[in-house]
């Protein structure tokens, strides 16, 4: 009987599903029986499973025949190794300065560690590697440097003396201008690239044993351009100073051997700081040279100076409050009444004061930590690098383990007033050098070059070297009938580590000349240096005997003239290469714009024209920097007594109170306490 409302498909759906499944099963069985059976891959070839063992058996027979057959006619003889001779050669190696620094390290000396006798790495013949690409360093940044170089160091280094004379200096004080140029390089990124599987058919990563302990920065090349009237000049390589390691000079010939490269790698691994972070020249006056990290910290301090001053003021208030509470607690614990009477012990008043002392101590510590976060001590002065535990003071980590290696050089071959920009690249050894016999024929050229370089970085931001003399127009007079135009000028001259300030006035046609004040003549001595003479005690150059520090709390002595020196001048006449040509109003600043503004026009002996408006903004960053240096320079050489630790030490914490099982309540009461104010 047909059910009403039910279609034929709904009545027979289970039979349809069963039929489809049965058909698929029959097709699968037929494909297995008629399609040739299961297959496997042997040597990248697909073969039936029954024939899978035939190639393996054939290979085993070939290996057995090679092992069981007669030995070769002649085996290569191993090279004799004389360890005693190597040890003696290592002990007698020259360890002094040398122009060929690669020779300082023996190729296979008895050294401890991964960089000693390198085990030979076997490379499979069928291995194919991608070209090693060193990451591009960051664009350089430039930190301007200006200070006075130690004359004893200059007298002993003719090359440095020539560089300073090229800046226009004729003798002491050797006021040097220069640029510290810094780049960042990611060694960890290079290691990640070497470990990743390269793109390309049949390419595999370079064996880590080949580069992990055999891949170092051997040199960093810097180039610069100078801005001229027609644009940027040609790129010029920065010369290397005498005494700095130069491994490229030893590895740039045609007959470089793997042993020579290994010696260079060993030297670089143990002298990395000399290669990537060379020292600056010894400074006798002016701001000390700072590493880029220290320089950034000092800039941060100057930027946050107002916040630091507020925190120092809050710290003073917190110290005063803590001293007051501590004294109140001490007075309460002092025995009262007749001699021999017991002091007040655990009472509500003492417990309240102890709680307030603890709270005030925490408040003080928070402010101290806040100041240290700014990089200053409790008086607002910058912390020393030792207190900050600056990374540069610790040993450099291996390049391939460092995310950002700070690399810098110093350019002292600059002209005051000129503008420069820089770029750089990193040069490393080629881990594949000398491995050509183990590589495929088409990859053998990769092992023929001893050195590989990163791409050149982008050009950095241009930096102008501060001129030796800087002028600011402080006032102008456009003149009138019978009165010549004139200008008031403030002159800054860098001399003996500081900018010196003087004032001048000039009429049209007058050259700019000013007399500047100098500090105590004993503070700016001029040395008489005999050839080969050692530096006097207190000189900052290496090898000088340092004078003992002043005992804490003792008054500082007066300025003492160093040995072999005479007093410097008391004042300095500064003749600026500029003549006042005219005083003219600035277009657009006439009656409609209010009071007209004027500018002074100057002309140098070379014909260059310079227009300077009146400097009416005392917050001008450049003016403030030079004025602060001039103010500090007037106090140059004034000794200061060392800080007294006993005076600067914070109040001691309260003594642990003695608890009484039945505390007494003293007559009266009171409260007190509180923290430092906020700002």
């Amino acid at each position: 009987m047909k059910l009403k409302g039910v279609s034929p498909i709904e009545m027979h759906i289970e039979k349809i599903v069963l039929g489809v499944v049965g058909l698929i099963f029959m097709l699968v069985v037929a494909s297995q029986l008629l399609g040739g059976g299961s297959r496997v891959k042997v040597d990248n070839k697909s073969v039936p499973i029954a024939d899978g063992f035939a190639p393996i058996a054939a290979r085993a027979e070939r290996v057995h025949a090679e092992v069981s057959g007669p030995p070769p006619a002649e085996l290569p003889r191993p090279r004799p190794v004389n360890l005693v001779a190597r040890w003696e050669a290592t002990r007698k190696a020259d360890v002094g300065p040398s122009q060929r620094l690669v020779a300082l390290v023996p190729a296979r000396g008895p050294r401890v560690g991964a960089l000693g006798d390198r085990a030979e790495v076997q490379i499979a013949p069928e291995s194919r590697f991608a070209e090693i690409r060193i990451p591009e360093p960051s664009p350089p940044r430039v930190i301007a440097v200006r200070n006075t170089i130690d004359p004893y160091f200059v007298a002993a280094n003719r090359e440095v003396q020539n560089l300073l004379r090229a800046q226009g200096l004729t003798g002491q004080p050797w006021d040097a201008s220069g640029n510290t140029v810094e780049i960042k390089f990611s060694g960890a990124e290079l290691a990640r690239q070497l470990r990743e599987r390269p793109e390309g058919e049949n390419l595999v990563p370079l064996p880590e044993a080949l580069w992990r302990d055999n891949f170092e920065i051997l040199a960093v090349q810097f180039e610069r351009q100078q801005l001229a009237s027609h644009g940027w000049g040609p790129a010029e390589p920065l010369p290397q100073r005498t005494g700095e390691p130069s491994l490229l000079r030893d590895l740039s010939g045609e007959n470089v051997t793997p042993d020579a490269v290994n010696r260079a790698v060993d030297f670089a691994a143990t002298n990395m700081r000399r290669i990537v972070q060379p020292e600056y020249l010894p400074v006798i006056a002016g701001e000390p040279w700072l590493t880029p990290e220290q320089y950034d910290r000092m800039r941060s301090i100057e930027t946050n100076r107002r916040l630091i001053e507020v925190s120092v003021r809050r710290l003073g208030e917190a110290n005063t409050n803590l001293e007051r509470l501590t004294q109140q607690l001490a007075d309460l614990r002092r025995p009262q009444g007749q001699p021999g009477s017991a002091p007040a012990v655990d009472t509500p008043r003492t417990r309240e004061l102890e709680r307030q002392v603890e709270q005030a101590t925490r408040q003080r510590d928070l402010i101290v930590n806040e100041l240290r976060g700014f990089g200053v001590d409790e008086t607002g002065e910058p912390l020393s690098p030792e207190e900050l535990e600056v990374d540069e003071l610790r040993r450099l980590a291996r390049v391939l383990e460092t995310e950002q290696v700070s690399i810098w050089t110093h350019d002292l071959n600059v002209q005051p007033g000129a503008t420069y920009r820089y770029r750089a690249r990193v040069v490393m050894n080629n881990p594949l050098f000398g491995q050509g016999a183990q590589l495929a024929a088409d990859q053998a050229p990769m092992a023929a070059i001893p050195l590989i370089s990163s791409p050149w970085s982008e050009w950095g931001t241009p930096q102008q070297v501060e001129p030796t003399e800087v002028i600011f127009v402080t006032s102008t007079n456009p003149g009138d009938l019978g009165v010549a135009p004139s200008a008031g000028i403030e002159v800054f001259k860098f001399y003996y580590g500081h900018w010196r300030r003087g004032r001048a006035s000039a009429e049209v046609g007058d050259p700019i000349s000013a007399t500047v004040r100098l500090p105590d003549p004993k503070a700016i001595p001029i040395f008489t240096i005999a050839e080969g003479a050692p530096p006097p005690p207190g000189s900052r150059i290496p090898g000088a005997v340092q004078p003992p520090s002043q005992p804490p709390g003792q008054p500082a002595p007066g300025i003492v003239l160093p040995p072999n020196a005479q007093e410097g001048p008391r004042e300095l006449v500064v003749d600026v290469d500029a003549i006042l040509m005219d005083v003219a109003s600035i277009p657009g600043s006439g009656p409609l714009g209010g009071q007209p503004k004027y500018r002074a026009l100057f002309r140098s002996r070379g014909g260059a024209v310079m227009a300077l408006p009146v400097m009416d903004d005392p917050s001008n960053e450049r003016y403030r920097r030079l004025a602060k240096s001039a103010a500090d320079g007037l106090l140059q050489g004034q000794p200061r007594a060392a800080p007294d630790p006993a005076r600067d030490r914070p109040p001691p914490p309260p003594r642990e109170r003695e608890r009484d099982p039945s505390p007494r309540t003293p007559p009266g009461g009171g409260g007190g306490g509180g923290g430092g104010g906020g700002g």
Side-chain angles (χ1 to χ4, degrees):
M1 179 179 176
K2 181 179 178 182
L3 297 178
K4 187 176 180 180
V6 179
S7 66
I9 295 179
E10 291 176 328
M11 295 176 59
H12 304 287
I13 185 63
E14 70 278 3
K15 301 180 182 65
I16 296 173
V17 173
L18 182 62
V20 171
V21 173
L23 179 62
I24 294 174
F25 176 75
M26 293 177 62
L27 291 175
V28 172
V29 172
S31 65
Q32 292 293 323
L33 297 177
L34 303 177
S38 300
R39 304 178 70 85
V40 294
K41 273 193 175 183
V42 179
D43 290 338
N44 291 326
K45 296 180 180 178
S46 179
V47 296
I49 192 169
D51 301 333
F53 292 98
I56 300 175
R59 183 182 299 178
E61 291 177 359
R62 286 198 302 271
V63 174
H64 183 268
E66 293 176 0
V67 174
S68 304
E74 183 176 355
L75 291 173
R77 295 184 178 181
R79 294 185 301 173
V81 178
N82 190 337
L83 295 179
V84 175
R86 283 188 181 181
W87 173 246
E88 291 295 332
T90 305
R91 292 175 61 243
K92 297 178 181 179
D94 183 15
V95 295
S98 171
Q99 292 298 318
R100 300 190 62 80
L101 293 171
V102 173
L104 292 178
V105 183
R108 292 290 187 271
R111 299 180 55 202
V112 179
L115 295 180
D117 295 332
R118 295 177 175 83
E120 185 176 356
V121 179
Q122 296 294 331
I123 301 176
E126 66 274 8
S127 298
R128 300 180 62 81
F129 308 110
E131 180 183 357
I132 301 176
R133 298 183 183 276
I134 302 178
E136 177 182 320
S138 67
R141 69 158 176 167
V142 181
I143 301 174
V145 181
R146 176 160 275 174
N147 39 37
T148 304
I149 308 302
D150 196 308
Y152 280 85
F153 180 84
V154 177
N157 292 268
R158 181 67 61 180
E159 180 186 5
V160 174
Q161 188 176 141
N162 292 337
L163 284 175
L164 298 179
R165 290 189 184 280
Q167 295 185 12
L169 303 176
T170 58
Q172 299 181 50
W174 296 104
D175 296 323
S177 300
N179 288 328
T180 293
V181 188
E182 184 203 27
I183 61 171
K184 298 285 189 179
F185 176 76
S186 178
E189 175 63 24
L190 174 58
R192 286 191 291 269
Q193 291 180 12
L194 292 172
R195 291 188 178 101
E196 291 176 354
R197 187 173 186 85
E199 297 180 358
E201 188 176 358
N202 299 327
L203 295 181
V204 297
L206 201 65
E208 189 162 339
L210 196 64
W211 55 265
R212 184 180 59 249
D213 297 317
N214 187 35
F215 207 11
E216 299 289 344
I217 295 177
L218 302 187
V220 183
Q221 296 176 317
F222 288 85
E223 288 187 345
R224 78 174 188 189
Q225 288 180 314
Q226 182 174 350
L227 185 62
S229 58
H230 59 276
W232 291 105
E236 302 173 341
L238 288 189
Q240 199 164 25
R241 293 205 315 262
T242 301
E244 292 183 358
S246 177
L247 302 178
L248 294 188
R249 187 163 49 240
D250 303 305
L251 301 177
S252 59
E254 297 181 356
N255 299 318
V256 179
T257 64
D259 272 355
V261 175
N262 288 340
R263 285 193 293 267
V265 171
D266 289 348
F267 179 86
T270 54
N271 295 270
M272 184 53 59
R273 187 181 302 278
R274 294 178 60 187
I275 295 174
V276 303
Q277 296 178 352
E279 294 183 354
Y280 188 69
L281 304 182
V283 175
I284 196 176
E287 294 292 335
W289 181 83
L290 301 175
T291 68
E293 181 178 346
Q294 295 167 349
Y295 173 83
D296 290 341
R297 186 171 290 109
M298 291 299 296
R299 290 291 298 271
S300 175
I301 291 174
E302 294 305 317
T303 302
N304 297 300
R305 177 53 64 185
R306 292 187 178 180
L307 295 176
I308 292 173
E309 292 173 353
V310 171
S311 296
V312 170
R313 186 167 59 251
R314 291 172 53 213
L315 180 61
E317 296 171 354
N319 280 334
T320 301
N321 184 49
L322 182 57
E323 290 173 2
R324 178 180 59 83
L325 293 173
T326 304
Q327 185 61 46
Q328 289 181 9
L329 185 60
D331 293 341
L332 188 61
R333 286 172 170 165
R334 188 176 300 115
Q336 304 291 332
Q338 299 297 325
S341 59
V345 288
D346 189 12
T347 67
R349 173 61 175 160
T350 57
R351 288 197 296 272
E352 174 64 19
L353 278 177
E354 287 171 350
R355 185 189 65 79
Q356 292 177 7
V357 167
E358 292 175 358
Q359 179 182 356
T361 302
R362 287 195 298 270
Q363 177 72 14
R364 179 192 182 279
D365 292 343
L366 286 174
I367 301 175
V368 170
N369 291 334
E370 181 180 303
L371 289 170
R372 292 188 68 86
F374 284 122
V376 298
D377 61 15
E378 297 178 18
T379 65
E381 292 298 316
L383 293 170
S384 67
E386 291 79 7
E387 293 175 295
L388 289 164
E389 298 181 357
V390 179
D391 289 341
E392 283 96 348
L393 297 178
R394 297 192 288 268
R395 186 179 184 276
L396 281 172
R398 294 190 64 244
V399 171
L400 297 179
E401 299 172 356
T402 308
E403 284 293 342
Q404 292 291 328
V405 182
S406 179
I407 300 173
W408 64 70
T409 191
H410 310 292
D411 183 13
L412 296 173
N413 188 25
V414 298
Q415 293 297 319
T419 301
Y420 302 93
R421 67 176 183 178
Y422 300 83
R423 67 176 182 176
R425 67 178 178 182
V426 173
V427 182
M428 305 181 72
N429 64 294
N430 181 8
L432 285 173
F433 179 61
Q435 305 288 341
Q438 300 192 64
L439 299 180
D442 61 332
Q443 291 208 314
M446 296 172 56
I449 52 175
L451 305 174
I452 49 180
S453 303
S454 72
W456 284 103
S457 70
E458 297 179 3
W459 288 102
T461 303
Q463 174 75 35
Q464 182 187 28
V465 181
E466 196 79 82
T468 306
E469 296 97 14
V470 178
I471 61 175
F472 293 91
V473 177
T474 57
S475 63
T476 56
N477 183 354
D480 203 344
L481 293 176
V483 179
S486 61
I489 302 159
E490 198 160 354
V491 178
F492 288 89
K493 165 77 174 179
F494 192 85
Y495 183 84
Y496 222 118
H498 290 271
W499 290 94
R500 314 295 175 176
R501 177 162 56 179
R503 288 178 171 82
S505 60
E507 295 183 349
V508 171
D510 291 343
I512 309 304
S513 181
T515 300
V516 300
R517 292 177 55 197
L518 297 177
D520 190 321
K522 295 187 182 67
I524 50 174
I526 303 299
F527 292 88
T528 302
I529 304 175
E531 185 175 356
S539 175
R540 300 186 187 179
I541 70 175
V545 179
Q546 301 301 316
S549 58
Q550 187 71 13
Q554 297 296 320
I559 301 176
V560 179
L561 192 67
N564 305 324
Q566 59 185 2
E567 294 184 359
R570 294 184 177 274
E571 60 183 23
L572 189 68
V573 177
V574 180
D575 295 322
V576 183
D577 180 16
I579 298 174
L580 181 63
M581 295 175 57
D582 195 8
V583 174
S585 62
I586 299 176
S589 63
L592 294 179
Q595 185 70 23
K597 296 183 178 181
Y598 294 89
R599 59 183 175 180
L601 304 178
F602 300 90
R603 181 179 182 274
S604 69
R605 297 185 185 91
V609 177
M610 176 173 55
L612 294 180
V614 175
M615 203 286 296
D616 53 2
D617 181 12
S619 64
N620 180 283
E621 190 277 333
R622 188 186 189 193
Y623 178 82
R624 289 183 59 187
R625 174 170 52 85
L626 270 58
K628 181 180 183 303
S629 176
D632 294 341
L634 292 177
L635 303 177
Q636 185 172 349
Q638 299 289 342
R640 293 182 299 177
D644 189 351
R647 184 192 62 192
D648 298 335
R649 187 182 301 118
R655 295 177 302 172
E656 185 69 22
R657 63 176 179 263
E658 299 177 1
R659 295 198 172 270
D660 190 294
S662 56
R664 294 168 295 175
T665 303

